[in-house]
Amino acid sequence: MTRFLQIHFLASYPAVLLNRDDAGLAKRLPYGGTTRTRISSQSLKRHWRLAEDEWSLKGVGAPMGVRSREIVERRITPKLSGDPKVVEAVEAAIVKHLYGKNSAKVSDRQAMLLGQPEIDYLARVGAEAVAAATDAKSAEAEVDARIAKGSGKANLAAMLSTAGKLASGLEAALFGRMVTSDPDANTDAAIHVAHAFTVHPQESESDYFTVVDDLRVEAGEAGSGGIFDTELTSGLYYGYVVVDVPLLVANLAGDADLAGKVVEHLVHLIATVSPGAKKGSTAPYAYADLMLVEAGSRQPRTLASAFRKAVPLRRGDDLAAEAVARMAAKLAGFDGAYGSGEDRAHLAVEDTGAAGFGETMSLDGLAAWAADKVREADAKVGN
């Protein structure tokens, strides 16, 4: 039975700045005594979430969520009408319940992820509180009576059932959420994403460039409109994603068909959606050179250790072929030590010649294969 799906990928990017740190430089990772270029898991997940194509997560057919520090002010308060002072007091009370006691200032809050059904539910609570309150002082008590713990009413955790199916939104079901003001409303992530890193030592260059001042040139004058520099990197990245299938189905309210559809979309997104800053000047778009998907019941294990010793950069060597060979060797090593317990399938832009990767498929075929594994797993447990 498939409890976990493991997705490994290799993707190559030349002359890009995919993910920057606070200094504007490419993010880095020391591994095996060698510095690599890194793409954070947050960056990868954000680009997959926001992708706009036929395989976008928005096209799955489940309600999405909103992540903000100003959900109440921007999405709930505008739906309230009545005495302005009462509305203001209701707004403050809902903010306190969502973001914590010391959250009156927006700058003191952490961004929260709420699903649209939850937002609609809170708007109804707010409207009821405004209608029931006799003045601003009683407004907070009216809100507390409806959503405060210990009152016998619904707190944030209860919205999961009160507000309807997938109340917290698709993003929370997939990538989890933390609600510091109400831990019972937390959602465990069903999709786990590792930071991607180059399989070889970091390759970077400081790019010096100028901006031409058109009007000065037109006047026959020398000079520029500015002198700048930025970092550019090139690399072949290894990435790793794990799908906890039972948890995904549970987070999607037991809908195994929807879970399969999510996984089908996700495989497409991982293979084709590129993260990237400086899009206008680097066109950082690439498809995966290799996608390996494993389906099994055992605890997942990354193949990152295949690159603990960085692949050397030698002129004339086929870097991708060496990376694939290392993955195949590591996979064979795990199979020899622990036994082979996973079904596997893969896609490859070029013939890998690597044994142990399972059947070679197109992206559509691989995504459908992974989706079927999810649906088959749910059927076997009798759901």
Side-chain angles (χ1 to χ4, degrees), residues 102-321:
N102 301 316
S103 59
K105 294 182 180 179
V106 173
S107 59
D108 292 333
R109 307 174 196 168
Q110 291 184 338
M112 176 176 286
L113 175 63
L114 288 183
Q116 190 58 49
E118 290 176 327
I119 294 172
D120 293 340
Y121 173 81
L122 287 170
R124 290 196 300 272
V125 167
E128 291 173 2
V130 170
T134 56
D135 52 33
K137 289 184 178 181
S138 65
E140 181 175 359
E142 294 295 341
V143 173
D144 289 347
R146 287 163 174 79
I147 62 175
K149 287 184 177 181
S151 66
K153 303 296 182 181
N155 59 11
L156 295 185
M159 291 184 202
L160 296 176
S161 57
T162 304
K165 182 178 178 180
L166 273 178
S168 57
L170 186 62
E171 294 99 322
L174 272 54
F175 302 115
R177 75 168 177 184
M178 183 178 69
V179 182
T180 55
S181 61
D182 189 352
D184 291 337
N186 292 346
T187 303
D188 290 334
I191 296 175
H192 314 151
V193 182
H195 295 246
F197 64 92
T198 53
V199 303
H200 51 78
Q202 182 178 43
E203 292 185 285
S204 67
E205 179 178 81
S206 180
D207 181 34
Y208 168 91
F209 62 96
T210 63
V211 175
V212 176
D213 188 318
D214 293 339
L215 295 182
R216 295 188 69 176
V217 172
E218 185 179 294
E221 300 175 12
S224 70
I227 300 174
F228 306 93
D229 65 85
T230 188
E231 184 176 40
L232 295 178
T233 65
S234 297
L236 177 64
Y237 292 81
Y238 168 76
Y240 179 59
V241 178
V242 174
V243 180
D244 184 327
V245 175
L247 182 56
L248 177 62
V249 173
N251 284 357
L252 295 175
D255 192 334
D257 189 63
L258 179 60
K261 191 173 183 181
V262 164
V263 166
E264 185 174 14
H265 281 237
L266 181 66
V267 171
H268 276 89
L269 293 171
I270 293 172
T272 62
V273 173
S274 301
K278 298 183 72 68
K279 291 182 177 180
S281 58
T282 65
Y285 305 109
Y287 287 174
D289 294 304
L290 174 78
M291 291 274 291
L292 167 62
V293 182
E294 302 182 83
S297 60
R298 302 188 297 182
Q299 177 179 296
R301 43 89 193 101
T302 178
L303 298 179
S305 58
F307 310 111
R308 184 167 49 230
K309 180 180 179 182
V311 178
L313 296 169
R314 293 188 291 257
R315 183 175 298 178
D317 283 359
D318 188 333
L319 185 63

Side-chain angles (χ1 to χ4, degrees), residues 10-12 236 287-292 316-325 327 346-355 357-363:
L10 293 173
S12 180
L236 177 64
Y287 287 174
D289 294 304
L290 174 78
M291 291 274 291
L292 167 62
D317 283 359
D318 188 333
L319 185 63
E322 174 64 20
V324 171
M327 287 177 63
H346 77 288
L347 71 81
V349 175
E350 300 177 8
D351 181 17
T352 63
F357 282 11
E359 182 181 353
T360 304
M361 300 180 177
S362 66
L363 178 56

